[in-house]
PDB file of all heavy atoms in Angstrom:
ATOM      1  N   ILE A  42       7.941  -7.965  12.510  1.00  0.00           N
ATOM      2  CA  ILE A  42       7.735  -8.745  13.721  1.00  0.00           C
ATOM      3  C   ILE A  42       6.623  -9.757  13.449  1.00  0.00           C
ATOM      4  O   ILE A  42       5.521  -9.382  13.075  1.00  0.00           O
ATOM      5  CB  ILE A  42       7.362  -7.834  14.916  1.00  0.00           C
ATOM      6  CG1 ILE A  42       8.407  -6.737  15.108  1.00  0.00           C
ATOM      7  CG2 ILE A  42       7.162  -8.645  16.184  1.00  0.00           C
ATOM      8  CD1 ILE A  42       9.816  -7.225  15.336  1.00  0.00           C
ATOM      9  N   SER A  43       6.908 -11.016  13.677  1.00  0.00           N
ATOM     10  CA  SER A  43       5.949 -12.084  13.401  1.00  0.00           C
ATOM     11  C   SER A  43       5.023 -12.313  14.595  1.00  0.00           C
ATOM     12  O   SER A  43       5.269 -11.825  15.701  1.00  0.00           O
ATOM     13  CB  SER A  43       6.692 -13.387  13.092  1.00  0.00           C
ATOM     14  OG  SER A  43       7.319 -13.872  14.273  1.00  0.00           O
ATOM     15  N   THR A  44       3.982 -13.081  14.345  1.00  0.00           N
ATOM     16  CA  THR A  44       3.054 -13.452  15.417  1.00  0.00           C
ATOM     17  C   THR A  44       3.805 -14.202  16.514  1.00  0.00           C
ATOM     18  O   THR A  44       3.569 -13.981  17.702  1.00  0.00           O
ATOM     19  CB  THR A  44       1.917 -14.327  14.855  1.00  0.00           C
ATOM     20  OG1 THR A  44       1.263 -13.604  13.815  1.00  0.00           O
ATOM     21  CG2 THR A  44       0.919 -14.697  15.931  1.00  0.00           C
ATOM     22  N   LYS A  45       4.716 -15.075  16.124  1.00  0.00           N
ATOM     23  CA  LYS A  45       5.486 -15.843  17.122  1.00  0.00           C
ATOM     24  C   LYS A  45       6.339 -14.919  17.983  1.00  0.00           C
ATOM     25  O   LYS A  45       6.463 -15.123  19.191  1.00  0.00           O
ATOM     26  CB  LYS A  45       6.349 -16.901  16.431  1.00  0.00           C
ATOM     27  CG  LYS A  45       5.530 -18.027  15.841  1.00  0.00           C
ATOM     28  CD  LYS A  45       6.393 -19.074  15.186  1.00  0.00           C
ATOM     29  CE  LYS A  45       5.515 -20.190  14.633  1.00  0.00           C
ATOM     30  NZ  LYS A  45       6.274 -21.279  14.064  1.00  0.00           N
ATOM     31  N   GLN A  46       6.939 -13.901  17.363  1.00  0.00           N
ATOM     32  CA  GLN A  46       7.736 -12.952  18.142  1.00  0.00           C
ATOM     33  C   GLN A  46       6.856 -12.150  19.099  1.00  0.00           C
ATOM     34  O   GLN A  46       7.234 -11.926  20.244  1.00  0.00           O
ATOM     35  CB  GLN A  46       8.497 -12.013  17.206  1.00  0.00           C
ATOM     36  CG  GLN A  46       9.632 -12.698  16.462  1.00  0.00           C
ATOM     37  CD  GLN A  46      10.212 -11.810  15.377  1.00  0.00           C
ATOM     38  OE1 GLN A  46       9.490 -11.359  14.489  1.00  0.00           O
ATOM     39  NE2 GLN A  46      11.508 -11.574  15.436  1.00  0.00           N
ATOM     40  N   LEU A  47       5.684 -11.726  18.629  1.00  0.00           N
ATOM     41  CA  LEU A  47       4.754 -11.016  19.510  1.00  0.00           C
ATOM     42  C   LEU A  47       4.313 -11.918  20.652  1.00  0.00           C
ATOM     43  O   LEU A  47       4.238 -11.477  21.807  1.00  0.00           O
ATOM     44  CB  LEU A  47       3.538 -10.529  18.730  1.00  0.00           C
ATOM     45  CG  LEU A  47       3.698  -9.263  17.914  1.00  0.00           C
ATOM     46  CD1 LEU A  47       2.429  -8.984  17.118  1.00  0.00           C
ATOM     47  CD2 LEU A  47       4.033  -8.078  18.787  1.00  0.00           C
ATOM     48  N   ALA A  48       4.009 -13.164  20.349  1.00  0.00           N
ATOM     49  CA  ALA A  48       3.582 -14.108  21.381  1.00  0.00           C
ATOM     50  C   ALA A  48       4.682 -14.289  22.427  1.00  0.00           C
ATOM     51  O   ALA A  48       4.402 -14.354  23.632  1.00  0.00           O
ATOM     52  CB  ALA A  48       3.219 -15.450  20.756  1.00  0.00           C
ATOM     53  N   GLU A  49       5.925 -14.342  21.996  1.00  0.00           N
ATOM     54  CA  GLU A  49       7.055 -14.472  22.932  1.00  0.00           C
ATOM     55  C   GLU A  49       7.142 -13.244  23.826  1.00  0.00           C
ATOM     56  O   GLU A  49       7.315 -13.359  25.043  1.00  0.00           O
ATOM     57  CB  GLU A  49       8.364 -14.658  22.153  1.00  0.00           C
ATOM     58  CG  GLU A  49       9.578 -14.872  23.016  1.00  0.00           C
ATOM     59  CD  GLU A  49       9.546 -16.177  23.801  1.00  0.00           C
ATOM     60  OE1 GLU A  49       8.983 -17.164  23.296  1.00  0.00           O
ATOM     61  OE2 GLU A  49      10.081 -16.197  24.922  1.00  0.00           O
ATOM     62  N   GLU A  50       7.013 -12.047  23.250  1.00  0.00           N
ATOM     63  CA  GLU A  50       7.046 -10.815  24.050  1.00  0.00           C
ATOM     64  C   GLU A  50       5.910 -10.783  25.060  1.00  0.00           C
ATOM     65  O   GLU A  50       6.104 -10.422  26.219  1.00  0.00           O
ATOM     66  CB  GLU A  50       6.939  -9.583  23.143  1.00  0.00           C
ATOM     67  CG  GLU A  50       8.191  -9.268  22.368  1.00  0.00           C
ATOM     68  CD  GLU A  50       8.029  -8.019  21.508  1.00  0.00           C
ATOM     69  OE1 GLU A  50       7.279  -7.100  21.913  1.00  0.00           O
ATOM     70  OE2 GLU A  50       8.657  -7.962  20.443  1.00  0.00           O
ATOM     71  N   ILE A  51       4.705 -11.146  24.608  1.00  0.00           N
ATOM     72  CA  ILE A  51       3.546 -11.130  25.496  1.00  0.00           C
ATOM     73  C   ILE A  51       3.721 -12.139  26.623  1.00  0.00           C
ATOM     74  O   ILE A  51       3.453 -11.837  27.790  1.00  0.00           O
ATOM     75  CB  ILE A  51       2.247 -11.401  24.700  1.00  0.00           C
ATOM     76  CG1 ILE A  51       1.966 -10.229  23.754  1.00  0.00           C
ATOM     77  CG2 ILE A  51       1.062 -11.634  25.638  1.00  0.00           C
ATOM     78  CD1 ILE A  51       0.885 -10.509  22.723  1.00  0.00           C
ATOM     79  N   SER A  52       4.208 -13.331  26.296  1.00  0.00           N
ATOM     80  CA  SER A  52       4.371 -14.357  27.330  1.00  0.00           C
ATOM     81  C   SER A  52       5.432 -13.965  28.360  1.00  0.00           C
ATOM     82  O   SER A  52       5.320 -14.314  29.530  1.00  0.00           O
ATOM     83  CB  SER A  52       4.701 -15.715  26.709  1.00  0.00           C
ATOM     84  OG  SER A  52       6.008 -15.725  26.174  1.00  0.00           O
ATOM     85  N   GLN A  53       6.441 -13.217  27.935  1.00  0.00           N
ATOM     86  CA  GLN A  53       7.485 -12.790  28.868  1.00  0.00           C
ATOM     87  C   GLN A  53       7.035 -11.642  29.758  1.00  0.00           C
ATOM     88  O   GLN A  53       7.577 -11.451  30.836  1.00  0.00           O
ATOM     89  CB  GLN A  53       8.754 -12.404  28.106  1.00  0.00           C
ATOM     90  CG  GLN A  53       9.469 -13.589  27.508  1.00  0.00           C
ATOM     91  CD  GLN A  53      10.699 -13.193  26.708  1.00  0.00           C
ATOM     92  OE1 GLN A  53      11.058 -12.028  26.639  1.00  0.00           O
ATOM     93  NE2 GLN A  53      11.354 -14.171  26.112  1.00  0.00           N
ATOM     94  N   SER A  54       6.045 -10.881  29.309  1.00  0.00           N
ATOM     95  CA  SER A  54       5.601  -9.731  30.107  1.00  0.00           C
ATOM     96  C   SER A  54       4.300 -10.002  30.866  1.00  0.00           C
ATOM     97  O   SER A  54       3.781  -9.109  31.519  1.00  0.00           O
ATOM     98  CB  SER A  54       5.441  -8.492  29.221  1.00  0.00           C
ATOM     99  OG  SER A  54       4.421  -8.697  28.274  1.00  0.00           O
TER     100      SER A  54
END
Side-chain angles (χ1 to χ4, degrees):
I42 305 302
S43 69
T44 303
K45 290 181 179 184
Q46 289 170 303
L47 280 176
E49 183 66 32
E50 286 181 32
I51 293 168
S52 71
Q53 289 178 3
S54 64

